[in-house]
Amino acid sequence: MSQQRQTFGLHATGTLPSLVSPNITSFEEGPFRLDVRTAVTVRRVAVREQTLFYLSLFDDEIDARLDEFLANALGAPHTERDLAAAALWLEPTDAVVITCTDGEVLVARGGACTFPLYWTTAAGSIVVSTMLPVDSERRLSREGLIACVAVVSVTYQNELNLSLRTPLSRWFRYRRGAVSRLSPSAGLLSERPVDHAEPEQSELDRDQLIENIRSALHKFGARIQGRDRALVELSGGFDSTLAAIAAHKQGIELLGVSVHFPYYEFRFEENIQQATAESLALSRTRLDGTTLFAYSPSDWWPRLDEPATCVIALTRDLAIARLASSAGVDRVLVGQGGDQLFSEDMLELVRAPIQLARGAFSNAAWQQIENARAVMASAPAFLNRTTLTYLHDARLDVALKEAFGTSTRSPFTDLAMVRCGIAWARISARLAVRQKKKILMEAFAAELPAAVAGRRGKVSWDGVCARMYAQNGEAIAYEIERVRDPLVHMGVDVRWLTRRVAQLARWERTTFGEDDREVFAVYALATWLHSWGVDRVSDCDWSD
Protein backbone atom coordinates (compact mmCIF):
# COMPACT_ATOMS: atom_id res chain seq x y z
CA MET A 1 0.00 0.00 0.00
CA SER A 2 1.59 3.24 -1.12
CA GLN A 3 1.29 5.99 1.42
CA GLN A 4 2.51 9.47 2.21
CA ARG A 5 2.29 10.63 5.79
CA GLN A 6 2.06 14.13 7.19
CA THR A 7 2.29 15.18 10.81
CA PHE A 8 0.20 18.20 11.66
CA GLY A 9 0.53 21.10 13.94
CA LEU A 10 -0.63 23.48 11.18
CA HIS A 11 -4.09 24.89 10.58
CA ALA A 12 -5.59 24.20 7.17
CA THR A 13 -7.76 26.99 5.79
CA GLY A 14 -10.75 26.92 3.45
CA THR A 15 -14.20 28.24 2.74
CA LEU A 16 -16.25 26.14 5.15
CA PRO A 17 -17.22 27.92 8.37
CA SER A 18 -15.00 27.01 11.32
CA LEU A 19 -16.12 26.08 14.80
CA VAL A 20 -15.75 28.99 17.19
CA SER A 21 -12.98 27.52 19.34
CA PRO A 22 -9.24 28.15 19.66
CA ASN A 23 -8.86 24.47 20.59
CA ILE A 24 -9.82 23.21 17.11
CA THR A 25 -7.55 22.46 14.15
CA SER A 26 -9.31 22.00 10.81
CA PHE A 27 -8.32 19.86 7.82
CA GLU A 28 -10.14 20.16 4.51
CA GLU A 29 -10.52 17.83 1.55
CA GLY A 30 -12.88 19.45 -0.97
CA PRO A 31 -16.41 19.42 0.52
CA PHE A 32 -15.18 17.59 3.62
CA ARG A 33 -13.80 19.13 6.80
CA LEU A 34 -12.37 17.42 9.86
CA ASP A 35 -12.25 19.49 13.07
CA VAL A 36 -9.92 18.07 15.73
CA ARG A 37 -9.51 19.40 19.25
CA THR A 38 -5.93 19.87 20.39
CA ALA A 39 -6.03 17.04 22.93
CA VAL A 40 -6.55 14.55 20.09
CA THR A 41 -3.52 13.80 17.92
CA VAL A 42 -4.02 13.27 14.18
CA ARG A 43 -1.96 11.87 11.32
CA ARG A 44 -2.93 12.27 7.66
CA VAL A 45 -1.85 9.62 5.17
CA ALA A 46 -2.36 9.52 1.40
CA VAL A 47 -3.42 6.00 0.46
CA ARG A 48 -3.75 5.70 -3.34
CA GLU A 49 -6.58 8.07 -4.25
CA GLN A 50 -7.89 8.39 -0.70
CA THR A 51 -6.88 10.39 2.34
CA LEU A 52 -6.80 8.60 5.69
CA PHE A 53 -6.83 10.42 9.03
CA TYR A 54 -5.81 8.43 12.10
CA LEU A 55 -6.87 9.90 15.47
CA SER A 56 -5.70 8.97 18.96
CA LEU A 57 -5.53 10.53 22.40
CA PHE A 58 -2.05 9.07 22.88
CA ASP A 59 0.40 11.33 21.07
CA ASP A 60 3.50 9.28 21.98
CA GLU A 61 1.99 6.06 20.59
CA ILE A 62 0.08 7.22 17.53
CA ASP A 63 2.76 6.49 14.91
CA ALA A 64 3.23 2.88 16.07
CA ARG A 65 -0.55 2.41 16.20
CA LEU A 66 -0.97 3.83 12.69
CA ASP A 67 1.84 1.64 11.31
CA GLU A 68 0.22 -1.49 12.73
CA PHE A 69 -3.18 -0.54 11.32
CA LEU A 70 -1.80 0.17 7.85
CA ALA A 71 0.28 -3.01 7.86
CA ASN A 72 -2.83 -5.11 8.49
CA ALA A 73 -5.45 -3.17 6.48
CA LEU A 74 -5.33 -5.13 3.23
CA GLY A 75 -5.56 -2.66 0.35
CA ALA A 76 -7.24 0.73 0.41
CA PRO A 77 -10.67 0.32 2.10
CA HIS A 78 -13.13 1.72 -0.49
CA THR A 79 -16.32 0.44 1.16
CA GLU A 80 -17.68 0.12 4.67
CA ARG A 81 -17.27 -3.66 4.32
CA ASP A 82 -13.56 -3.21 3.57
CA LEU A 83 -13.11 -0.81 6.47
CA ALA A 84 -15.08 -3.05 8.85
CA ALA A 85 -12.56 -5.83 8.12
CA ALA A 86 -9.63 -3.44 8.50
CA ALA A 87 -11.12 -2.01 11.72
CA LEU A 88 -10.54 -5.36 13.44
CA TRP A 89 -6.90 -4.13 13.52
CA LEU A 90 -7.79 -0.66 14.82
CA GLU A 91 -6.88 0.00 18.43
CA PRO A 92 -10.21 0.18 20.32
CA THR A 93 -9.35 3.61 21.77
CA ASP A 94 -8.74 5.20 18.34
CA ALA A 95 -10.61 6.23 15.19
CA VAL A 96 -9.99 6.38 11.43
CA VAL A 97 -11.59 8.82 8.95
CA ILE A 98 -11.24 8.20 5.19
CA THR A 99 -12.28 10.57 2.41
CA CYS A 100 -13.25 8.90 -0.87
CA THR A 101 -13.05 10.24 -4.41
CA ASP A 102 -16.86 10.20 -4.79
CA GLY A 103 -17.26 12.64 -1.89
CA GLU A 104 -18.33 9.99 0.62
CA VAL A 105 -16.65 9.65 4.00
CA LEU A 106 -15.92 6.39 5.86
CA VAL A 107 -15.35 6.41 9.61
CA ALA A 108 -14.29 3.61 11.95
CA ARG A 109 -14.56 4.41 15.65
CA GLY A 110 -13.11 1.90 18.13
CA GLY A 111 -15.42 0.34 20.70
CA ALA A 112 -13.50 1.93 23.59
CA CYS A 113 -12.72 5.20 21.78
CA THR A 114 -11.47 7.76 24.30
CA PHE A 115 -12.78 10.87 22.50
CA PRO A 116 -16.15 11.78 20.95
CA LEU A 117 -16.80 11.99 17.23
CA TYR A 118 -19.75 13.80 15.60
CA TRP A 119 -20.97 14.70 12.12
CA THR A 120 -23.29 17.08 10.32
CA THR A 121 -24.06 17.82 6.67
CA ALA A 122 -24.88 21.18 5.10
CA ALA A 123 -24.75 22.76 1.63
CA GLY A 124 -23.27 19.65 0.03
CA SER A 125 -20.51 19.30 2.64
CA ILE A 126 -19.72 16.92 5.49
CA VAL A 127 -18.19 18.13 8.74
CA VAL A 128 -16.72 15.58 11.16
CA SER A 129 -15.70 16.91 14.56
CA THR A 130 -14.33 15.73 17.89
CA MET A 131 -16.31 18.52 19.55
CA LEU A 132 -19.97 19.55 19.54
CA PRO A 133 -20.24 23.33 18.84
CA VAL A 134 -22.66 23.85 21.74
CA ASP A 135 -21.49 27.37 22.56
CA SER A 136 -21.55 28.70 19.01
CA GLU A 137 -24.88 27.18 17.91
CA ARG A 138 -26.81 27.19 21.22
CA ARG A 139 -29.66 25.22 19.63
CA LEU A 140 -30.45 22.33 21.95
CA SER A 141 -32.74 19.39 21.38
CA ARG A 142 -34.99 18.41 24.28
CA GLU A 143 -35.42 14.96 22.81
CA GLY A 144 -31.66 14.56 22.41
CA LEU A 145 -31.08 15.61 26.02
CA ILE A 146 -33.79 13.31 27.37
CA ALA A 147 -32.12 10.46 25.43
CA CYS A 148 -28.96 11.23 27.45
CA VAL A 149 -31.01 10.39 30.56
CA ALA A 150 -32.52 7.25 29.05
CA VAL A 151 -29.06 5.81 28.37
CA VAL A 152 -28.72 4.62 31.98
CA SER A 153 -31.40 2.01 31.29
CA VAL A 154 -28.69 -0.01 29.50
CA THR A 155 -25.97 -1.70 31.56
CA TYR A 156 -22.53 -0.16 30.94
CA GLN A 157 -23.84 2.22 28.25
CA ASN A 158 -23.13 5.48 30.04
CA GLU A 159 -22.39 7.03 26.67
CA LEU A 160 -25.41 7.09 24.39
CA ASN A 161 -23.83 4.75 21.85
CA LEU A 162 -27.08 3.01 20.93
CA SER A 163 -28.59 6.22 19.55
CA LEU A 164 -27.28 8.72 17.00
CA ARG A 165 -29.05 11.72 18.59
CA THR A 166 -26.99 14.37 20.37
CA PRO A 167 -28.05 17.32 22.58
CA LEU A 168 -27.38 19.66 19.66
CA SER A 169 -29.85 19.99 16.82
CA ARG A 170 -28.62 18.80 13.39
CA TRP A 171 -25.54 17.08 14.85
CA PHE A 172 -25.22 13.31 15.15
CA ARG A 173 -22.75 10.94 16.77
CA TYR A 174 -20.59 8.24 15.27
CA ARG A 175 -21.14 5.06 17.20
CA ARG A 176 -18.27 3.39 18.96
CA GLY A 177 -17.54 -0.11 17.71
CA ALA A 178 -18.86 0.74 14.24
CA VAL A 179 -17.95 1.66 10.68
CA SER A 180 -20.15 4.39 9.18
CA ARG A 181 -20.56 5.66 5.60
CA LEU A 182 -21.80 9.19 4.87
CA SER A 183 -22.54 11.20 1.77
CA PRO A 184 -22.87 15.01 1.56
CA SER A 185 -26.38 14.77 0.13
CA ALA A 186 -27.95 11.89 2.09
CA GLY A 187 -26.08 11.90 5.38
CA LEU A 188 -25.67 8.48 6.99
CA LEU A 189 -25.94 5.73 4.37
CA SER A 190 -25.01 2.66 6.40
CA GLU A 191 -23.38 1.32 9.57
CA ARG A 192 -21.61 -1.93 10.34
CA PRO A 193 -20.64 -3.16 13.80
CA VAL A 194 -16.97 -4.00 14.35
CA ASP A 195 -17.37 -7.25 16.25
CA HIS A 196 -14.14 -8.81 17.47
CA ALA A 197 -15.77 -12.21 17.79
CA GLU A 198 -15.80 -12.29 13.99
CA PRO A 199 -14.12 -13.89 12.23
CA GLU A 200 -13.57 -16.90 14.47
CA GLN A 201 -10.00 -17.04 15.73
CA SER A 202 -8.08 -20.28 16.02
CA GLU A 203 -8.76 -22.09 19.28
CA LEU A 204 -6.09 -21.56 21.93
CA ASP A 205 -5.20 -23.85 24.77
CA ARG A 206 -4.51 -22.48 28.24
CA ASP A 207 -0.72 -22.36 27.82
CA GLN A 208 -0.97 -20.50 24.50
CA LEU A 209 -3.36 -18.00 26.03
CA ILE A 210 -1.04 -17.38 28.98
CA GLU A 211 1.78 -16.68 26.53
CA ASN A 212 -0.46 -14.26 24.60
CA ILE A 213 -1.52 -12.44 27.78
CA ARG A 214 2.08 -11.99 28.84
CA SER A 215 2.95 -10.75 25.36
CA ALA A 216 0.04 -8.28 25.39
CA LEU A 217 1.11 -6.79 28.73
CA HIS A 218 4.72 -6.56 27.54
CA LYS A 219 3.54 -4.75 24.41
CA PHE A 220 1.59 -2.29 26.58
CA GLY A 221 4.72 -1.56 28.62
CA ALA A 222 6.85 -1.13 25.51
CA ARG A 223 4.36 1.32 24.03
CA ILE A 224 4.45 3.63 27.03
CA GLN A 225 8.20 3.52 27.61
CA GLY A 226 8.56 6.95 26.02
CA ARG A 227 7.45 8.28 29.40
CA ASP A 228 10.18 8.36 32.07
CA ARG A 229 7.65 8.66 34.88
CA ALA A 230 4.00 7.76 35.37
CA LEU A 231 1.38 7.84 38.10
CA VAL A 232 -0.39 4.56 38.82
CA GLU A 233 -3.68 4.13 40.63
CA LEU A 234 -2.65 1.56 43.21
CA SER A 235 -5.88 0.00 44.39
CA GLY A 236 -4.35 -3.36 45.26
CA GLY A 237 -6.43 -5.10 42.59
CA PHE A 238 -5.16 -7.33 39.79
CA ASP A 239 -5.68 -4.92 36.92
CA SER A 240 -3.99 -1.75 38.14
CA THR A 241 -1.16 -3.84 39.62
CA LEU A 242 -0.50 -5.44 36.23
CA ALA A 243 -0.42 -2.01 34.59
CA ALA A 244 2.18 -0.98 37.17
CA ILE A 245 4.21 -4.17 36.65
CA ALA A 246 4.33 -3.60 32.87
CA ALA A 247 5.62 -0.04 33.32
CA HIS A 248 8.06 -1.04 36.07
CA LYS A 249 9.66 -3.64 33.78
CA GLN A 250 10.36 -0.90 31.22
CA GLY A 251 12.25 1.15 33.78
CA ILE A 252 9.53 3.76 34.14
CA GLU A 253 9.61 5.53 37.50
CA LEU A 254 6.24 5.08 39.16
CA LEU A 255 4.37 7.21 41.64
CA GLY A 256 1.50 5.46 43.37
CA VAL A 257 -1.83 6.89 44.50
CA SER A 258 -4.48 5.13 46.56
CA VAL A 259 -7.89 6.28 47.74
CA HIS A 260 -8.35 5.37 51.39
CA PHE A 261 -11.66 4.67 53.14
CA PRO A 262 -11.64 4.30 56.96
CA TYR A 263 -14.45 1.74 56.99
CA TYR A 264 -14.64 -1.82 58.24
CA GLU A 265 -15.19 -3.34 54.80
CA PHE A 266 -11.89 -1.76 53.67
CA ARG A 267 -9.88 -3.07 56.61
CA PHE A 268 -7.59 -5.24 54.42
CA GLU A 269 -7.04 -2.74 51.60
CA GLU A 270 -4.36 -0.57 53.21
CA ASN A 271 -2.01 -3.51 53.80
CA ILE A 272 -2.52 -4.83 50.26
CA GLN A 273 -1.82 -1.42 48.73
CA GLN A 274 1.25 -0.89 50.87
CA ALA A 275 2.62 -4.35 50.05
CA THR A 276 2.08 -3.70 46.36
CA ALA A 277 3.93 -0.39 46.56
CA GLU A 278 6.84 -2.02 48.38
CA SER A 279 7.08 -4.85 45.85
CA LEU A 280 7.40 -2.31 43.03
CA ALA A 281 9.67 0.01 45.04
CA LEU A 282 7.44 3.00 44.53
CA SER A 283 6.23 5.80 46.74
CA ARG A 284 2.52 6.09 47.40
CA THR A 285 0.22 9.00 48.18
CA ARG A 286 -2.95 8.25 50.14
CA LEU A 287 -6.02 10.33 49.30
CA ASP A 288 -8.87 10.62 51.77
CA GLY A 289 -11.80 8.89 50.10
CA THR A 290 -14.33 10.55 52.39
CA THR A 291 -13.55 13.90 50.71
CA LEU A 292 -13.74 12.35 47.25
CA PHE A 293 -17.12 10.64 47.44
CA ALA A 294 -19.15 10.61 44.25
CA TYR A 295 -21.13 13.86 43.86
CA SER A 296 -18.71 15.78 46.11
CA PRO A 297 -18.83 19.47 45.10
CA SER A 298 -16.00 20.44 42.77
CA ASP A 299 -14.11 23.70 42.35
CA TRP A 300 -13.64 22.98 38.63
CA TRP A 301 -16.14 21.84 36.03
CA PRO A 302 -15.36 20.84 32.44
CA ARG A 303 -17.58 21.71 29.52
CA LEU A 304 -18.26 18.23 28.20
CA ASP A 305 -19.83 17.76 24.78
CA GLU A 306 -22.74 15.79 26.25
CA PRO A 307 -24.10 14.94 29.70
CA ALA A 308 -21.93 12.15 31.12
CA THR A 309 -22.68 10.11 34.24
CA CYS A 310 -18.95 9.69 34.86
CA VAL A 311 -19.04 13.32 36.08
CA ILE A 312 -20.27 12.05 39.45
CA ALA A 313 -16.65 10.91 40.03
CA LEU A 314 -15.20 14.27 38.99
CA THR A 315 -13.68 15.21 42.36
CA ARG A 316 -11.77 11.92 42.56
CA ASP A 317 -10.49 12.05 38.97
CA LEU A 318 -9.64 15.73 39.40
CA ALA A 319 -7.60 15.05 42.55
CA ILE A 320 -5.57 12.38 40.73
CA ALA A 321 -5.01 14.58 37.66
CA ARG A 322 -3.85 17.46 39.85
CA LEU A 323 -1.53 15.16 41.79
CA ALA A 324 0.01 13.91 38.55
CA SER A 325 0.33 17.40 37.10
CA SER A 326 1.96 18.78 40.24
CA ALA A 327 4.51 15.94 40.08
CA GLY A 328 5.29 16.74 36.45
CA VAL A 329 3.71 13.49 35.25
CA ASP A 330 1.41 13.36 32.21
CA ARG A 331 0.44 9.67 32.16
CA VAL A 332 -1.91 7.99 34.65
CA LEU A 333 -1.96 4.18 34.56
CA VAL A 334 -5.17 2.37 35.52
CA GLY A 335 -6.74 -1.07 35.21
CA GLN A 336 -10.03 -0.05 33.61
CA GLY A 337 -11.57 -2.74 31.45
CA GLY A 338 -9.93 -5.67 33.22
CA ASP A 339 -13.11 -6.75 34.98
CA GLN A 340 -15.07 -6.71 31.73
CA LEU A 341 -12.46 -8.68 29.77
CA PHE A 342 -11.63 -11.38 32.29
CA SER A 343 -14.27 -11.49 35.05
CA GLU A 344 -17.35 -11.35 32.83
CA ASP A 345 -18.38 -13.45 29.86
CA MET A 346 -17.30 -11.61 26.72
CA LEU A 347 -19.57 -13.86 24.66
CA GLU A 348 -22.75 -12.75 26.44
CA LEU A 349 -24.94 -9.83 25.41
CA VAL A 350 -25.09 -6.73 27.56
CA ARG A 351 -28.52 -6.62 29.19
CA ALA A 352 -31.22 -5.06 27.00
CA PRO A 353 -32.64 -1.67 28.06
CA ILE A 354 -34.94 -1.73 31.12
CA GLN A 355 -37.54 0.82 32.15
CA LEU A 356 -36.67 3.83 34.27
CA ALA A 357 -39.03 5.15 36.94
CA ARG A 358 -42.16 6.59 35.36
CA GLY A 359 -42.63 9.18 38.13
CA ALA A 360 -39.44 11.04 37.27
CA PHE A 361 -40.84 12.43 34.01
CA SER A 362 -43.79 14.27 32.52
CA ASN A 363 -46.07 12.45 30.08
CA ALA A 364 -44.29 13.88 27.04
CA ALA A 365 -40.81 13.22 28.44
CA TRP A 366 -41.81 9.69 29.43
CA GLN A 367 -42.81 8.99 25.85
CA GLN A 368 -39.41 10.29 24.72
CA ILE A 369 -37.69 8.08 27.32
CA GLU A 370 -39.58 5.05 26.04
CA ASN A 371 -38.87 5.99 22.42
CA ALA A 372 -35.16 6.26 23.22
CA ARG A 373 -35.29 2.89 24.97
CA ALA A 374 -36.94 1.35 21.92
CA VAL A 375 -34.27 2.83 19.64
CA MET A 376 -31.50 1.43 21.84
CA ALA A 377 -33.14 -2.01 21.96
CA SER A 378 -33.39 -1.97 18.15
CA ALA A 379 -29.59 -2.04 17.80
CA PRO A 380 -28.85 -5.52 19.25
CA ALA A 381 -25.55 -5.88 17.39
CA PHE A 382 -24.13 -3.12 19.59
CA LEU A 383 -25.18 -5.00 22.73
CA ASN A 384 -22.56 -7.62 21.90
CA ARG A 385 -19.74 -7.26 24.39
CA THR A 386 -17.31 -8.14 21.60
CA THR A 387 -17.97 -4.77 19.95
CA LEU A 388 -16.17 -3.42 23.07
CA THR A 389 -18.61 -0.53 23.51
CA TYR A 390 -19.03 -1.21 27.23
CA LEU A 391 -15.33 -1.33 28.19
CA HIS A 392 -14.68 2.21 29.34
CA ASP A 393 -16.48 5.55 29.69
CA ALA A 394 -13.63 7.95 28.98
CA ARG A 395 -15.43 11.23 28.41
CA LEU A 396 -13.61 12.98 31.25
CA ASP A 397 -10.24 11.96 29.78
CA VAL A 398 -10.21 14.58 27.03
CA ALA A 399 -11.19 17.38 29.41
CA LEU A 400 -8.53 16.38 31.94
CA LYS A 401 -5.86 16.18 29.25
CA GLU A 402 -6.77 19.64 27.97
CA ALA A 403 -6.83 21.16 31.45
CA PHE A 404 -3.97 19.33 33.19
CA GLY A 405 -1.96 17.65 30.43
CA THR A 406 -2.64 14.17 31.81
CA SER A 407 -3.90 11.16 29.89
CA THR A 408 -5.25 7.92 31.33
CA ARG A 409 -3.92 4.61 29.98
CA SER A 410 -5.02 1.03 30.61
CA PRO A 411 -3.60 -2.22 29.18
CA PHE A 412 -7.13 -3.63 29.07
CA THR A 413 -8.30 -1.37 26.24
CA ASP A 414 -5.45 -2.55 23.97
CA LEU A 415 -6.38 -4.75 21.02
CA ALA A 416 -3.92 -7.49 21.97
CA MET A 417 -5.42 -7.80 25.45
CA VAL A 418 -8.97 -7.65 24.09
CA ARG A 419 -8.25 -10.69 21.94
CA CYS A 420 -6.97 -12.49 25.00
CA GLY A 421 -10.18 -11.69 26.87
CA ILE A 422 -12.29 -13.14 24.05
CA ALA A 423 -10.08 -16.23 23.87
CA TRP A 424 -10.48 -16.68 27.64
CA ALA A 425 -14.26 -16.51 27.26
CA ARG A 426 -14.10 -19.25 24.62
CA ILE A 427 -11.93 -21.48 26.79
CA SER A 428 -14.32 -20.92 29.71
CA ALA A 429 -17.27 -21.80 27.47
CA ARG A 430 -15.61 -25.07 26.46
CA LEU A 431 -15.03 -25.87 30.14
CA ALA A 432 -18.58 -24.75 31.01
CA VAL A 433 -17.25 -22.86 34.03
CA ARG A 434 -16.34 -19.23 34.71
CA GLN A 435 -12.94 -18.93 36.38
CA LYS A 436 -12.84 -15.14 36.17
CA LYS A 437 -9.30 -13.75 36.63
CA LYS A 438 -7.65 -17.03 37.48
CA ILE A 439 -5.91 -16.93 34.10
CA LEU A 440 -4.26 -13.61 35.02
CA MET A 441 -2.98 -15.06 38.28
CA GLU A 442 -1.54 -18.03 36.37
CA ALA A 443 0.04 -15.80 33.73
CA PHE A 444 1.76 -13.53 36.25
CA ALA A 445 2.27 -15.82 39.23
CA ALA A 446 5.95 -14.84 39.43
CA GLU A 447 5.31 -11.08 39.23
CA LEU A 448 2.16 -10.45 41.25
CA PRO A 449 2.80 -9.49 44.86
CA ALA A 450 1.59 -12.16 47.28
CA ALA A 451 -0.81 -9.66 48.86
CA VAL A 452 -2.57 -9.15 45.52
CA ALA A 453 -2.53 -12.79 44.42
CA GLY A 454 -3.95 -13.87 47.77
CA ARG A 455 -6.52 -11.12 48.28
CA ARG A 456 -9.96 -12.25 49.39
CA GLY A 457 -11.94 -10.67 46.56
CA LYS A 458 -13.51 -7.32 45.88
CA VAL A 459 -14.82 -5.00 48.54
CA SER A 460 -18.59 -4.40 48.56
CA TRP A 461 -19.23 -0.75 47.75
CA ASP A 462 -22.82 -0.61 48.98
CA GLY A 463 -21.76 1.06 52.20
CA VAL A 464 -19.73 3.68 50.35
CA CYS A 465 -22.71 4.41 48.08
CA ALA A 466 -24.99 4.84 51.09
CA ARG A 467 -22.53 7.15 52.84
CA MET A 468 -21.98 9.27 49.73
CA TYR A 469 -25.71 10.03 49.45
CA ALA A 470 -25.89 10.77 53.17
CA GLN A 471 -22.97 13.19 52.86
CA ASN A 472 -23.77 14.78 49.50
CA GLY A 473 -27.56 14.66 49.29
CA GLU A 474 -27.90 18.42 49.68
CA ALA A 475 -25.22 19.06 47.06
CA ILE A 476 -27.01 16.78 44.58
CA ALA A 477 -30.34 18.50 45.20
CA TYR A 478 -28.65 21.90 44.78
CA GLU A 479 -27.20 20.99 41.36
CA ILE A 480 -30.63 19.82 40.19
CA GLU A 481 -32.55 22.76 41.67
CA ARG A 482 -30.35 25.48 40.19
CA VAL A 483 -31.33 24.43 36.65
CA ARG A 484 -34.91 23.60 37.62
CA ASP A 485 -36.54 25.63 34.83
CA PRO A 486 -34.67 23.97 31.91
CA LEU A 487 -35.20 20.53 33.49
CA VAL A 488 -38.94 21.15 33.86
CA HIS A 489 -38.99 22.46 30.28
CA MET A 490 -37.56 19.11 29.17
CA GLY A 491 -40.11 17.18 31.22
CA VAL A 492 -38.06 16.15 34.26
CA ASP A 493 -40.04 16.05 37.53
CA VAL A 494 -37.64 17.89 39.82
CA ARG A 495 -39.77 17.28 42.91
CA TRP A 496 -39.69 13.52 42.31
CA LEU A 497 -35.90 13.64 41.90
CA THR A 498 -35.25 15.65 45.05
CA ARG A 499 -37.53 13.33 47.05
CA ARG A 500 -35.58 10.33 45.77
CA VAL A 501 -32.29 12.03 46.72
CA ALA A 502 -33.63 12.57 50.24
CA GLN A 503 -34.65 8.91 50.45
CA LEU A 504 -31.18 7.82 49.37
CA ALA A 505 -29.59 10.19 51.88
CA ARG A 506 -31.71 8.63 54.66
CA TRP A 507 -30.74 5.12 53.53
CA GLU A 508 -34.37 4.34 52.71
CA ARG A 509 -33.43 3.22 49.20
CA THR A 510 -30.56 0.77 49.23
CA THR A 511 -30.39 -0.97 45.84
CA PHE A 512 -27.67 1.26 44.47
CA GLY A 513 -27.38 1.23 40.70
CA GLU A 514 -31.13 0.68 40.46
CA ASP A 515 -32.81 3.01 42.97
CA ASP A 516 -30.52 5.85 41.91
CA ARG A 517 -30.39 5.47 38.11
CA GLU A 518 -32.57 8.50 37.49
CA VAL A 519 -30.65 10.54 40.07
CA PHE A 520 -27.21 10.18 38.54
CA ALA A 521 -28.60 10.55 35.00
CA VAL A 522 -30.37 13.83 35.82
CA TYR A 523 -27.40 15.01 37.90
CA ALA A 524 -25.23 14.56 34.79
CA LEU A 525 -27.78 16.50 32.74
CA ALA A 526 -28.10 19.27 35.35
CA THR A 527 -24.36 19.85 35.76
CA TRP A 528 -23.94 19.80 31.97
CA LEU A 529 -26.61 22.48 31.50
CA HIS A 530 -25.04 24.70 34.15
CA SER A 531 -21.53 24.27 32.73
CA TRP A 532 -22.80 25.69 29.41
CA GLY A 533 -24.66 28.54 31.13
CA VAL A 534 -28.16 27.14 30.52
CA ASP A 535 -29.65 28.02 33.91
CA ARG A 536 -32.87 29.39 32.41
CA VAL A 537 -35.01 28.25 29.50
CA SER A 538 -34.14 31.45 27.66
CA ASP A 539 -30.38 30.85 27.87
CA CYS A 540 -30.46 28.90 24.59
CA ASP A 541 -32.66 28.14 21.60
CA TRP A 542 -34.67 24.91 21.57
CA SER A 543 -35.19 22.95 18.38
CA ASP A 544 -38.19 20.98 19.67
Side-chain angles (χ1 to χ4, degrees), residues 103-287:
E104 292 184 355
V105 174
L106 297 173
V107 172
R109 188 177 176 216
C113 192
T114 49
F115 51 88
L117 206 57
Y118 306 101
W119 64 268
T120 190
T121 59
S125 64
I126 299 174
V127 179
V128 176
S129 178
T130 60
M131 176 186 290
L132 275 182
V134 178
D135 223 14
S136 59
E137 297 200 5
R138 306 294 287 184
R139 186 173 173 80
L140 300 185
S141 164
R142 286 188 293 180
E143 188 172 350
L145 286 165
I146 285 296
C148 291
V149 175
V151 69
V152 299
S153 65
V154 186
T155 305
Y156 295 125
Q157 292 293 322
N158 295 324
E159 179 182 347
L160 194 60
N161 193 58
L162 297 179
S163 169
L164 303 181
R165 295 292 303 268
T166 73
L168 196 60
S169 177
R170 298 186 297 270
W171 281 84
F172 304 90
R173 76 170 48 76
Y174 284 105
R175 292 189 205 263
R176 289 174 290 115
V179 166
S180 308
R181 181 166 68 102
L182 277 79
S183 80
S185 58
L188 182 66
L189 297 175
S190 61
E191 285 185 307
R192 285 178 178 268
V194 178
D195 194 326
H196 289 269
E198 302 173 359
E200 287 280 346
Q201 300 173 7
S202 59
E203 296 286 352
L204 299 177
D205 62 30
R206 204 179 192 98
D207 290 340
Q208 290 171 319
L209 178 56
I210 286 174
E211 182 178 342
N212 286 2
I213 292 173
R214 291 185 61 84
S215 174
L217 193 69
H218 174 77
K219 184 176 182 179
F220 165 76
R223 278 181 165 180
I224 64 172
Q225 65 180 335
R227 297 295 201 264
D228 295 329
R229 305 170 75 224
L231 186 78
V232 60
E233 292 192 28
L234 212 60
S235 68
F238 271 77
D239 306 331
S240 60
T241 302
L242 289 177
I245 287 171
H248 183 68
K249 284 186 174 182
Q250 296 296 329
I252 298 172
E253 180 187 353
L254 295 175
L255 308 175
V257 58
S258 301
V259 179
H260 173 73
F261 293 97
Y263 306 131
Y264 178 78
E265 60 265 41
F266 289 84
R267 62 194 180 281
F268 301 116
E269 298 305 294
E270 175 66 21
N271 290 339
I272 294 172
Q273 293 163 1
Q274 183 59 36
T276 303
E278 290 173 357
S279 72
L280 294 170
L282 58 86
S283 60
R284 182 173 65 101
T285 298
R286 294 165 74 252
L287 300 178

Side-chain angles (χ1 to χ4, degrees), residues 318-376:
L318 181 58
I320 291 172
R322 281 174 166 162
L323 179 64
S325 182
S326 66
V329 172
D330 62 1
R331 182 58 47 85
V332 178
L333 305 181
V334 297
Q336 291 165 337
D339 285 344
Q340 288 82 353
L341 285 185
F342 291 98
S343 288
E344 298 165 7
D345 187 351
M346 286 286 290
L347 304 181
E348 285 185 349
L349 294 177
V350 174
R351 187 170 61 177
I354 63 171
Q355 280 193 331
L356 297 181
R358 171 67 183 85
F361 309 99
S362 69
N363 290 336
W366 177 248
Q367 188 59 57
Q368 291 174 341
I369 288 283
E370 288 295 274
N371 289 344
R373 190 164 70 95
V375 167
M376 291 188 287

Side-chain angles (χ1 to χ4, degrees), residues 15 25 29 41 78 113 175 211 284 300 423 467 490 532:
T15 58
T25 299
E29 295 279 341
T41 304
H78 288 281
C113 192
R175 292 189 205 263
E211 182 178 342
R284 182 173 65 101
W300 175 83
R467 294 179 183 103
M490 284 182 276
W532 287 103

